[in-house]
Amino acid sequence: MSFSPLPDILQSDLARLRGAAVLELGAADGRFTRALREAGVDVVPLDRRRPVPSGGVVADARALPVRPGAVRLIAAANLLQHLGRITDVAAALGEWVGCLAPDGCLHILQDDPLADTPARRNDRELRDWLARLVPTRGRLPALTDLREALAGSGGTSGWSFGRELNRTAPPDRERALALLRGDGGVPDRATAALAAAIARDGLDYGWYWWARWRGGTAP
Ligand SMILES: C[S@@+](CC[C@H](N)C(=O)[O-])C[C@H]1O[C@@H](n2cnc3c(N)ncnc32)[C@H](O)[C@@H]1O
């Protein structure tokens, strides 16, 4: 998915680093890659699974094939729910920070699990439904979860945090319904209820949160 608008703090880091190479972790189909490229940076997308967007590499974000200090900006959107427990996530963030150049920064963007309208609730319930289906995928972490994990592992110095409303066009309702219908067999009660709610109220991305680390001369 995409995040629109990008946080001001990410836009200003991208403008500051125009021309520098940016490493994007968990790039998937490349929608977030495109948003970064539109901001004028040279993005290397990375994902553990093929296909990766053009110019990309296949690698595990938990063991980056990058020299310490080699990258000026690392970005990861909706990746954390794939990295295990929140304490493991905090450890991975520490490793990513270690790959950054002295003026470098790390940007995390994540859909917020909290939802305040029926369409936003449907979207988050669909993610939970997918998380139950795919064992390597966890539930969306909340910003408070990350802040607590960071506080417990090295602290939150250098970090800033925020929340934005994602104004990207809503996900396709028919595609979601086809996914829930699956092979056409009889759905369990929870799946049938979710499909009915989506058919009635649709889907909406809603809120996302961001976390940004910058060392040295932050902000
Ligand atoms: C929910 S998608 C995020 C897509 C994209 N960043 C966006 O926001 O549109 C998560 C992606 O992370 C990838 N992924 C999961 N665990 C990973 C890991 N350990 N290393 C690299 N990529 C990983 C998955 O293969 C998947 O493509």
Side-chain angles (χ1 to χ4, degrees):
M1 68 171 284
S2 204
F3 295 85
S4 179
L6 295 177
D8 288 348
I9 199 164
L10 173 54
Q11 294 191 46
S12 66
D13 281 338
L14 291 169
R16 179 171 65 87
L17 298 172
R18 198 171 290 268
V22 167
L23 183 62
E24 185 209 348
L25 310 179
D29 63 4
R31 268 194 277 176
F32 186 56
T33 316
R34 277 195 293 284
L36 294 172
R37 284 182 173 152
E38 277 161 19
V41 287
D42 187 7
V43 185
V44 177
L46 176 150
D47 203 287
R48 71 173 171 194
R49 276 207 306 251
R50 287 177 204 283
V52 286
S54 66
V57 288
V58 178
D60 191 327
R62 290 165 298 189
L64 286 186
V66 169
R67 274 181 288 115
V71 189
R72 294 178 72 200
L73 192 148
I74 297 180
N78 273 338
L79 172 64
L80 303 192
Q81 67 270 30
H82 297 271
L83 300 182
R85 292 170 305 169
I86 198 74
T87 45
D88 298 335
V89 168
L93 298 188
E95 300 205 353
W96 299 346
V97 161
C99 295
L100 290 169
D103 67 342
C105 47
L106 169 64
H107 285 266
I108 305 296
L109 285 78
Q110 283 285 144
D111 288 320
D112 196 319
L114 295 176
D116 51 6
T117 69
R120 293 171 189 167
R121 254 191 312 278
N122 288 344
D123 182 76
R124 298 312 188 253
E125 284 181 19
L126 182 60
R127 311 297 179 90
D128 287 346
W129 185 86
L130 283 168
R132 288 196 293 277
L133 210 67
V134 182
T136 55
R137 183 176 180 148
R139 300 188 68 185
L140 289 172
L143 179 54
T144 47
D145 299 331
L146 180 74
R147 293 182 74 142
E148 277 171 27
L150 288 172
S153 76
T156 53
S157 163
W159 285 95
S160 34
F161 307 96
R163 201 163 175 256
E164 298 275 347
L165 188 59
N166 193 346
R167 300 192 186 278
T168 302
D172 186 332
R173 180 189 312 223
E174 293 310 318
R175 255 184 87 188
L177 291 173
L179 189 68
L180 290 168
R181 277 197 293 270
D183 59 8
V186 180
D188 62 63
R189 195 185 291 199
T191 303
L194 178 57
I198 291 174
R200 187 179 60 240
D201 301 317
L203 293 158
D204 184 20
Y205 290 119
W207 294 91
Y208 74 91
W209 58 259
W210 56 263
R212 178 261 211 171
W213 182 89
R214 187 176 176 197
T217 55

